[in-house]
Structures are given as C-alpha cells and as structure tokens.
Amino acid sequence: MPVRFFKALLLLAALVATPAHALTVEVEAPDEIKALLTQHLETARAARSGEKPDAEEVARLQRQSELTARDLLATEGYFSPRVDSTVARTGDDWRLVYRVDPGARTRVRSVKLAFGGALKTRPDAASLRGRVERGFTLKQGMPFRQADWEAAKLAVLRPLLAGAYPAAQIESSEARIDPAAQAADLTLTVDSGPAFFYGQPAISGSQRYPESIIRNLNPVKPGKPVRQQDLLDYQMALESSGYYAQATVHIEPDPVLAAAVPLRVEVVERPQKLFSVGAGVSTDTGARVQASWLDRDILDRGMRLKLDARLETMRQTGAAELAWPRTTKGYEHSLGVQLKQEDIKGQETRSTVLAAKRGRTRGQIESTLSLQYQTEQQSIADVLDVRNQALVANYAWTKRTVGRAFYPRRGYVLSLQGGGAAEALLSDTDFVRLYGRHTQYFRAGSSGRLILRGEFGSVLADTRDGIPTDFLFRAGGDNSVRGYAYQSLGRTLTGGVASVRYLATGSVEYNYFFNRDWGMALFVDAGDAADNPGALSPVFGYGTGVRYRSPVGPVNLDLAYGEATAKFRLHFSLGVSF
C-alpha cells in the first residue's frame, strides 16, 4: 500500500479526533469600551476571519483575549477591571461570551511639568513657559487615557519646535497609577535644548540665476530667533518669485550650530525662456487668445522681460514689461509699455500707457506705488471724439487673508487705491481718484459659504473731460452687477455708454458645495455708475449659478435677471493656458 495512502488515513484520523467548528464571539460591556474590545480581541478577529479552530486553539485564544482586554482597558484608564469569559458548544459551533466590568476610571490627580535647557534659564522665556504649561491638555480631574497622555506630550513640544527651540525633546515622563484611589500622577520634564538663531543662507541648486535673488528674498536677518513660519514664508517667496519651480528651506537642529544656524536653501530653477499660449471665453469681453514670451535673465542679472499679446472680441492689447529682481528691502521695480484698443458698449478707445512701478509684498499685504503716463483717443459714434492724456501717480494697497483656495470659505480681500494728476504736469485736467473694494467670506454650515462684496469709486474733479477712461468708472458684468452687460451702466449717450466719475456696487451671494468640485450659487447684485453721487440709482440683478473647481482654475456659470431691463443674461468665464 503506498506511503501516501497511510499519510492520508492519519490526517483523516486527526481531523476526526479534533473536529473544527465555526466561532462566534459576544462582548457584554459598556458602550464606550465595547467597540474597542470587539475590534481588537484575538477571538473576535478570528471569528470575523471565518476561522474554525479546534478546542485547544479556542482555549488559547480565550486566555490571550482576556489578557488583551485588560491591556486595552488600561489604555483607557481602567486599571482594576473584571473580565470573565465562558465558552460553550452550540450545535457544531463554538460560542464565546466575555463579560467585562471596567470598574472606576482613573483620573488625573496631579500634573508636574518641569523644564530644562535654555527655556529654563533664559529670562525672556517666562511667557513661553507659561503658554506651554497652560496648553498642557491633560488637566487635573480629567479621565486618564494613554492616547491622551501621548497627545499631551506632543502638544507640549509643538510650540517649542515651531519657535526658537527646534531641538526640544521629552527628557523624561512618568504616569504613576494609584489603583486603589483610581488616580494618576503625571510627571513630565521637557528639555528645550539651546535657543536657535539664524545664520546665513547655504544655497544649493542655483546655477542659472544670480544667488542674490535667493538672498534678497530671505525674510529674516542673521541673529533673529528661529521660527518655523519664517522658513515657510521664505519657501513660498522663492516659489512665487517666478525663478524657481521648487524650493525647500530648512535648518539642521544641531545644538552646536544654534548660535548661527545656516538656512539650507535648495532650489530647482525654471527655464530661462518660456513661450506660452492660452485661450478662453468670457461673457464680459468675449472669446480670447493670447501669447506671451518671457526671458528671466536679461543681462545675466535676473531681470525679466515679458512680451504679451491678447486678442479678445471687445479688447486687444499688446504689452512689454521689464522687471528687476526683489531688492534686499523687499521692493520690486518694473517699467512697462502697453498698447490697447477696445470697443465696449459703443465706447471706443485706443490708448498708449507708459508705467513705472514699485511694489512690495509683506505677508498678506501687497502695496504698489506707480507713475503712469497715458494718452487716449476716445469716440462714441458721432457724439464724442476726444483725445485725453494724464500723468497719474497712484498708490494701491491690498490685504488678502483667504490663502490660495479657489473658493475660500473664510477671510477677506480688501483693496484700496488713491491717486491723481495735475494739469501742470502733462495732464489735461486736475483730478483725484479714490477706489475701494472689499470682499468678505463666511462659513455657512459644513458645506456652504456666504460672500459679501462692496465697491465704491470716485473721481474728484471739476469735469470728466480730459480724464482717460481707465481712471473713470462703469458698472455691470461678471464681477460687478450681474444681469447687465459688461460696463453697460454709466452715462448713456446716443450710440454708446460713456465712463463717469462715481461708482457704487454691492453683492450678497450664497454658495453650497455638493462635493469638493461642484457647487451652486444664489445671489443678489446691485449698483450703478453716475457723474455725481446724487445721481447714483442702483439697479438690481438676481440669479443662480454653478461653481466648478476645474484643474485649470475656477469656473463660474451664472444666470441673472436684470430688474431694470427685465431680461435674463448668462455670465460665464473660463481660461486655459498651455
């Protein structure tokens, strides 16, 4: 008889002698711990996997699960539990029942927090020590859980690591449990290490562009205490400068280097030259195609020359701009020229603009001081045909607290402008121009947002004659008063709508997002443009729309009803760059 036959007989005999049966497990415990035990007990896991253990294996799993239950309860603050289990055969199956009485939960009786390193000795660190102590999340009288204890220790380190103590660590920690009193006495010692101060940047990856660009973008000076936010700001400034596709800024938390720790800056440079084209469509200015050419290193000094051409149904522009890298004080300078031709609501203009600008970005605030000379030929049918010129000094200030989200749900954007021209300085008339726009975003439930917008502009002058249209106002369109054609609200003449000296618009909009990409909108817009404040007579637009977060940017599609015109109007915009 073959050997394999004898082996098969022996295996069959073993299976008959130790039959295997299905396993079910029940846990009788308070709801707050029942789910934890059901998920992690070895017997419960075996039951979920469909195992069919024999009697010996069931006994082993039963004993191991009792030990596991006690360990799990200890992590939740129950150090004196009663855990009983019974096993029974039900037909051909095993049935295990655990009865768990967790007992009284252990609570925090005392907390002792001590400091070592520079945080203990520096006289200017008292406020930080107090903030760390107040921020310790496990307070006297709170339930003691192992997860909360670990989280509290991490929370103690967080403000130190984000500030001048990147080498901070937990020196020692102890949770002493008194089972009789159901009490926990916590002791924690934090070694902050030395305080770190900035040294000079150590740059790698810079080959094509001058290193001075990287150094000038540094927001900190040597000797200043290290702060994690400074490193993030520096990295963001590098990536948004236009010279670098990727940037990383970090320090090595080596206590030996603490007095002047180098900022290690690693960059990946963008190509020196770039040609790009794009296309889009908007119900304001129609279809659009554009092309631009950029050289980022003119004269080997990091100067950027950009040539840009844009053709739209209602507007055509060509521009050239020469921009210098940011200076050590954070300023960016540029010179530019623009040729523009447009025909919007019957007002035709052809203009030439020469501009010199000085801009600065500090945190959430952008400011620009500009000097702009503009000549313009303006006509409206047979009613108006004039030439205007002005040399305008202007200051613009913008604060953004909305981050980079396509559809922000909190924060605001505030823009203020002020400028003017004098007849004695290459201008046809004296005027002062003031403009402000504020957009506020509020959360509205878990998936909604509320947007409030207000806009006001005025030109203080004896007459509008001689003022180029870029410094006057009209209303209507996608970002103004929906339900009305782009720039259709102004001074109505035979054959067109002319720009005026005063503007006031406002909007209330509610958005609800069904998921990450798609949402809807309900809105009410109002506004007008006129030649004096008393003539402002707001018209209203009401509507609904769709919001889509596309891979290339936000897409807004709105259908609005203009009360003054008793007509519906579609507002839509989409742009793609290649």
Side-chain angles (χ1 to χ4, degrees), residues 18-42:
T18 58
H21 304 283
L23 176 65
T24 59
V25 176
E26 296 180 13
V27 177
E28 297 178 3
D31 290 342
E32 61 181 1
I33 60 173
K34 183 176 181 179
L36 177 70
L37 297 174
T38 302
Q39 181 179 359
H40 293 289
L41 293 185
E42 286 82 358

Side-chain angles (χ1 to χ4, degrees), residues 21 32 67 73 143 188 194 203 207 272 275 285 292 312 359 369 398 435 480 534 564:
H21 304 283
E32 61 181 1
L67 296 175
L73 291 169
L188 182 67
I203 301 168
Q207 299 176 350
Q272 178 181 339
F275 177 74
T285 55
S292 63
E312 298 173 275
L369 181 64
T398 300
Y435 175 81
S480 181

Side-chain angles (χ1 to χ4, degrees), residues 319-459:
E321 182 184 61
L322 182 64
W324 280 257
R326 185 182 299 184
T327 68
T328 55
K329 294 185 178 180
Y331 291 103
E332 295 186 55
H333 301 93
S334 66
L335 295 173
V337 59
Q338 182 188 65
L339 304 177
K340 180 173 65 174
Q341 178 175 304
E342 63 181 22
D343 183 356
I344 300 175
K345 299 306 293 181
Q347 179 176 268
E348 298 183 31
T349 57
R350 295 183 299 279
S351 61
T352 301
V353 180
L354 301 174
K357 298 180 181 179
R358 180 182 189 180
R360 191 180 194 184
T361 300
R362 304 185 71 179
Q364 299 173 329
I365 296 176
E366 300 175 12
S367 59
T368 303
L369 181 64
S370 63
L371 184 64
Q372 176 175 321
Y373 176 69
Q374 180 166 340
T375 62
E376 170 190 271
Q377 189 70 36
Q378 179 193 130
S379 63
I380 298 179
D382 297 329
V383 179
L384 187 67
D385 189 0
V386 296
R387 183 183 180 278
N388 305 313
Q389 69 170 350
L391 178 64
V392 180
N394 190 69
Y395 179 75
W397 182 94
T398 300
K399 183 173 183 179
R400 293 181 175 86
T401 65
V402 296
R404 297 183 175 184
F406 280 170
Y407 294 112
R409 298 182 62 201
R410 63 176 61 183
Y412 63 87
V413 180
L414 173 62
S415 298
L416 301 173
Q417 297 179 22
E423 186 175 356
L425 295 174
L426 299 176
S427 302
D428 289 338
T429 188
D430 300 327
F431 68 88
V432 173
R433 184 181 188 272
L434 304 173
Y435 175 81
R437 182 183 176 104
H438 182 79
T439 305
Q440 184 78 47
Y441 300 90
F442 300 94
R443 280 186 175 272
S446 60
S447 301
R449 68 172 184 168
L450 182 68
I451 309 169
L452 303 180
R453 171 177 55 80
E455 178 185 36
F456 179 78
S458 67
V459 175

Side-chain angles (χ1 to χ4, degrees), residues 64-84:
Q64 184 62 46
S65 293
E66 287 188 5
L67 296 175
T68 300
R70 294 180 184 278
D71 291 340
L72 290 171
L73 291 169
T75 66
E76 293 296 309
Y78 300 102
F79 292 94
S80 302
R82 290 184 59 187
V83 181
D84 298 318

